[in-house]
Amino acid sequence: MRQHFSRAAILILIVLLAALFGRPYLDTLLYAATSPRPIAARGDLAEAERATIGLFERVSPSVVQVVGAAASFGSADVEGEGGREQSGTGFVWDGAGHVVTNNHVVSGTREVAIRFATGEVVGASIVGTAPNYDLAVVRLRSTRNLPPPIAVGSSADLKVGQAAFAIGNPFGLDQSLTTGVISALKRRLPTNAGREIGNVIQTDAAVNPGNSGGPLLDSAGRLIGVTTAIISPSGSNAGIGFAVPVDTVNRVVPQLISKGRVPTPGIGIVAASEAVATRLGIEGVVVVRAVPGSPAAQAGLRGIDQTGALGDVIVSANRQPARRLSDLTDQLEAVGVGKEIELSVKRNDRSVTIRVNVEDIGRSS
């Protein structure tokens, strides 16, 4: 009886061990997918997905890669913005072959090449640049098979939280679509020209080097801005990207096309830095000096005298507060070249109202 039990126990143990160690081989024999698996039906795409796909398919043919070379354009590898060849993004503006991009993408270049989504490469020439707005226009040397211009929207009625879509060529790669929301409005962005772009759009849609000059779009596929910069210690996307608002673009680009430049409205003053004004406890634009012969000098604006005594402080322009120089330049642009601007000035503890002609101070620079 005891022998039969021992044999049965040993047999059960052998069976269990065989099952344990033989299971992988058995699974492979019975269940391994040695032929292509059948494709499961996906079902309908979500409405939001269909809308995004449609937006990209509709707009992307009009988005191009812009490559500028300091010497003749060759076949060297694109190294991205700041490299041997400056690479960015642009988009078709009109049927005449004008392409909009960032000024810093083409700045310092002699030749520009445009690569379409189809892979076709066309040479282009620079029509005009506006460093104060980081915008530039180039014109294609051939308009054969030109994609349609991107529809233009408005930046005046944008809301924080609404969807934003960016199309570009990050790091010189082919077109990429990134999505996000408008994170903030009315940001101020310094330019290399020493001025600030006002009403800049902030977005968390991924913007990386190479995206510069590409379109920022709303959910209808309309242009609402031109991507221009990121804030990131590493130089890559950190969720804070900026775009020049389309209302500014729609004002500046036609002037670049017709005249090659954009007037820089000014009155001819040298202003103290904001740091100096803060140190003095002053809220306003401290006039250091009025340029001789300028509208400011002709209107009697006074700068700091030889004894170091404070001169005029501009506290409002066009009846709007002028707490810093960018507030003044905003109002100068609103008034425009060839017109007068009303300034409220603090002078020796009293308020003075002065009317000054606005002129194009960039023409002589």
Side-chain angles (χ1 to χ4, degrees), residues 71-85:
S72 61
F73 181 75
S75 59
D77 291 338
V78 173
E79 295 185 0
E81 295 168 325
R84 190 168 59 247
E85 291 178 349

Side-chain angles (χ1 to χ4, degrees), residues 22-74:
R23 178 65 182 272
Y25 302 101
L26 187 62
D27 287 347
T28 299
L29 181 64
L30 296 176
Y31 305 116
T34 56
S35 60
R37 295 183 58 195
I39 298 174
R42 189 218 175 277
D44 293 335
L45 292 169
E47 184 177 350
E49 291 176 303
R50 292 197 303 270
T52 301
I53 292 169
L55 181 150
F56 181 76
E57 291 177 344
R58 186 170 67 254
V59 177
S60 61
S62 303
V63 181
V64 301
Q65 183 178 16
V66 181
V67 180
S72 61
F73 181 75

Side-chain angles (χ1 to χ4, degrees), residues 48-303:
E49 291 176 303
R50 292 197 303 270
T52 301
I53 292 169
L55 181 150
F56 181 76
E57 291 177 344
R58 186 170 67 254
V59 177
S60 61
S62 303
V63 181
V64 301
Q65 183 178 16
V66 181
V67 180
S72 61
F73 181 75
S75 59
D77 291 338
V78 173
E79 295 185 0
E81 295 168 325
R84 190 168 59 247
E85 291 178 349
Q86 301 167 198
S87 174
T89 304
F91 56 91
V92 176
W93 179 259
D94 59 24
H98 290 108
V99 169
V100 175
T101 186
N102 280 151
N103 174 68
H104 75 262
V105 172
V106 299
S107 178
T109 64
R110 294 182 180 178
E111 296 190 16
V112 177
I114 303 297
R115 186 187 304 275
F116 288 93
T118 59
E120 181 184 5
V121 178
V122 178
S125 56
I126 298 174
V127 172
T129 61
N132 289 338
Y133 306 96
D134 196 17
L135 292 172
V137 175
V138 302
R139 184 171 185 176
L140 301 169
R141 296 196 178 106
S142 171
T143 57
R144 182 171 54 89
N145 300 323
L146 188 69
I150 295 177
V152 173
S154 173
S155 49
D157 56 357
L158 295 178
K159 303 294 183 183
V160 172
Q162 77 177 73
F165 304 81
I167 302 178
N169 300 276
F171 304 107
L173 300 172
D174 288 339
Q175 287 185 346
S176 295
L177 169 70
T178 56
T179 65
V181 299
I182 294 174
S183 305
L185 296 167
K186 298 184 179 179
R187 294 296 196 210
R188 309 194 70 87
L189 190 66
T191 67
N192 293 334
R195 292 169 76 95
E196 287 186 332
I197 308 173
N199 297 317
V200 169
I201 302 164
Q202 180 184 325
T203 179
D204 67 347
V207 175
N208 285 294
N211 277 99
S212 294
L216 186 69
L217 309 163
D218 64 11
S219 58
R222 302 181 310 161
L223 180 72
I224 57 173
V226 176
T227 54
T228 186
I230 58 173
I231 290 182
S232 169
S234 67
S236 297
N237 176 260
I240 302 178
F242 298 101
V244 181
V246 69
D247 290 352
T248 298
V249 177
N250 209 12
R251 175 173 58 84
V252 170
V253 168
Q255 295 182 70
L256 291 179
I257 292 173
S258 61
K259 301 176 182 177
R261 61 182 298 275
V262 177
T264 303
I267 57 175
I269 63 168
V270 176
S273 68
E274 289 182 33
V276 170
T278 301
R279 190 167 63 246
L280 295 174
I282 295 173
E283 189 176 89
V285 180
V286 177
V287 179
V288 175
R289 68 184 179 92
V291 177
S294 68
Q298 295 170 5
L301 275 173
R302 304 174 186 177

